[in-house]
């Protein structure tokens, strides 16, 4: 399976995995069903995830999620060539999903699993796609220690960035300057005069919840 046609000029890594043995093909309303099944059987392989609304609306979300011993490793959108957390975000849309689950020999995924830019945290799929805290905890418990350390390192890097007030202020100031320059080009200077940033409470209230809600499962 290849996620990007040859010669398309894309700079994004392309996920290539063998076809594998089809274990299950279903339309499900909750991806957590598939994640739980993969974890319960310690699956090494992958799932293809196609939100049904993308079929109806010509959307751009057809995902591949790989597993090693039941724990998610890589996420990839074969339409947009996005990988890792970006691919999960594109797949986090309301169900139902057409899901196919495949088993693959460990050696068949070894090369793909070396591509760090496509990796996701062990519990990310359970959180982003299924909105299931218990499944996320179960997945973390099953994940190898080095996978959890990698995820903690990423969290530490994000926390360090958010704690760097000077850097954030500089980014905000640059964004304001660029906005004013653009407004001047478009003759919209007056629209920015007297504008104010929302305070923390307003910003929190404006933030949406992009999680997928569960529902009845077609077993």
């Amino acid at each position: 399976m290849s996620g990007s046609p040859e010669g398309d000029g894309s700079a994004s890594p392309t996920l290539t995995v063998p076809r594998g043995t089809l274990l299950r093909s279903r339309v499900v309303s909750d991806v957590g069903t598939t994640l739980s099944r993969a974890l319960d059987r310690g699956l090494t392989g992958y799932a293809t995830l196609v939100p049904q609304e993308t079929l109806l609306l010509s959307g751009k979300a057809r995902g591949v999620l790989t597993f090693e011993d039941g724990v998610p490793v890589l996420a990839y959108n074969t339409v947009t060539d996005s990988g890792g957390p970006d691919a999960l975000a594109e797949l986090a849309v309301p169900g139902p999903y057409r899901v196919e689950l495949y088993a693959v020999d460990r050696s068949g995924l070894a090369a793909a699993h070396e591509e760090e830019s496509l990796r996701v945290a062990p519990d990310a799929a359970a959180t982003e796609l299924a909105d299931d805290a218990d499944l996320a905890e179960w997945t973390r418990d099953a994940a190898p220690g080095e996978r959890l350390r990698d995820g903690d390192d990423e969290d530490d890097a994000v926390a360090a960035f958010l704690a760097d007030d000077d850097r954030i202020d500089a980014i905000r100031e640059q964004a304001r300057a660029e906005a004013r320059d653009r407004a001047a080009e478009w003759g919209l200077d007056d629209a920015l005069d007297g504008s104010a940033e929302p305070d923390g409470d307003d910003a929190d209230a404006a933030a949406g919840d992009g999680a997928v809600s569960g529902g009845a499962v077609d077993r």
Side-chain angles (χ1 to χ4, degrees):
M1 173 184 295
S2 177
S4 177
E6 293 183 3
D8 68 352
S10 173
S12 300
T14 298
L15 177 63
T16 302
V17 297
R19 179 66 177 177
T21 301
L22 178 63
L23 302 177
R24 188 176 180 84
S25 178
R26 292 285 190 279
V27 173
V28 300
S29 59
D30 183 0
V31 177
T33 303
T34 300
L35 300 177
S36 297
R37 185 174 295 275
L39 190 57
D40 187 53
R41 67 187 303 164
L43 176 71
T44 294
Y46 63 92
T48 60
L49 309 172
V50 182
Q52 295 297 279
E53 73 171 25
T54 69
L55 295 178
L56 297 175
L57 303 176
S58 299
K60 296 183 179 299
R62 287 169 172 77
V64 177
L65 186 67
T66 71
F67 303 89
E68 186 167 314
D69 297 329
V71 178
V73 179
L74 304 180
Y76 187 73
N77 186 337
T78 64
V79 177
T80 65
D81 285 340
S82 296
D86 288 344
L88 284 184
E90 292 169 353
L91 292 167
V93 298
Y97 293 74
R98 162 62 66 179
V99 177
E100 293 185 349
L101 198 60
Y102 294 85
V104 176
D105 185 76
R106 188 180 303 270
S107 62
L109 292 174
H113 284 176
E114 291 298 318
E115 184 53 67
E116 294 186 1
S117 62
L118 301 180
R119 287 193 174 196
V120 294
D123 57 352
T127 300
E128 297 292 329
L129 302 183
D131 191 22
D132 189 329
D134 291 337
L135 178 58
E137 182 177 0
W138 181 24
T139 306
R140 285 181 61 85
D141 289 343
E146 62 269 17
R147 292 287 314 282
L148 296 179
R149 285 192 294 273
D150 289 345
D152 290 341
D153 289 344
E154 293 176 4
D155 291 342
D156 290 344
V158 172
F161 172 78
L162 294 176
D164 190 342
D165 293 337
D166 291 340
R167 187 176 179 188
I168 291 176
D169 287 343
I171 291 173
R172 285 175 174 168
E173 186 58 38
Q174 180 180 355
R176 292 190 193 101
E178 291 176 353
R180 290 190 177 279
D181 289 345
R182 185 65 58 82
E185 292 176 7
W186 293 344
L188 298 175
D189 304 68
D190 293 341
L192 290 176
D193 288 342
S195 62
E197 293 184 28
D199 60 25
D201 292 338
D202 290 339
D204 290 342
D209 182 4
V212 178
S213 60
V217 176
D218 177 4
R219 299 181 182 274

